Amino acid sequence: MAARTVLITGSTSGIGLGIARAFAKAKYNIIFNGLEKNGHEIAAAVAKEFQVDHMYSPANALHTDQLRTMVDEGLKQFNHIDVLINNCGVQHVSPIENFPDQKWEDILRVNLSSAFFLTKALMKPMKTQQFGRIINIASAHGLFASEYKSAYVAAKHGVLGLTKVTALEGAPFNINCNAICPGYVRTPLVDAQIRDQAKSHDISESEVIPRVILQKHAVKKFVPVELIGRLSLLLADEISATLTGTAIPIDGGWSAQ
Ligand code: NAD
């Protein structure tokens, strides 16, 4: 069988890059995406390390036309896109009364609407090929709230709703759709929060990690990106057709409380 192709948004950093490495190791063709300035080089290095075909798109999730172009170019290069992983995401922390309107709009677009537009673009080809796997990287904040993260929490809760609808519409066509809900993962997105929280609590970064950042984890460890990669591979597998419409927490026991 020809190698399957996966499109992963935000895959030139953090969790997305970890997922891309897992799929490259499993010999998928990879469509990389992300806004990192050296995105081209990051993508090429992974493809070279694992000897897989790849494409890199700098499509900005704020712009629907750029997402559409990325899908068109991916289909042109590989003929089929079998797995879509909606991973790109941004955060802004502020009380509601001060939350900038534009930040709200942008977070909803990047964290939620981009997943809808890419699912929309790929639903038809996936139905035609009678195979599709869609994985939405939501968050523990898709299930729970934290204060000062209104846009992020609203967007991630929305992602879980989109996941369920996609699962129902995809079911007759061998398309599954699931969400992964990680707790805290050590990535550039969380490094910024560690710095901010250490400053605002006036404690060191090493103290802020167990006391503030991982406060809700029963297991006081960051979730390894490799675990999210392995779970994504399982959800993308042929065998996972009946595993659909779920929100799977990997959160160090946060959701057990
Ligand atoms: P990260 O900052 O390391 O990576 C985010 C990626 O998204 C980058 O490649 C970035 O370029 C891309 N991106 C941002 N804005 C974009 C835009 N407008 N268009 C296209 N790409 C854009 O962050 P991460 O921690 O790896 O986060 C990845 C996903 O995992 C996000 O959806 C995040 O909400 C989710 N998540 C992260 C954690 C965590 O603890 N790190 C926990 C739960 C969920």
Side-chain angles (χ1 to χ4, degrees), residues 59-75:
N60 189 324
L62 291 169
H63 303 295
T64 315
D65 54 328
Q66 294 185 19
L67 296 176
R68 182 76 234 183
T69 303
M70 171 169 65
V71 168
D72 290 346
E73 287 174 357
L75 286 171

Side-chain angles (χ1 to χ4, degrees), residues 153-166:
V153 169
K156 295 296 187 180
H157 276 66
V159 166
L160 298 194
L162 174 65
T163 301
K164 293 179 195 171
V165 176
T166 309

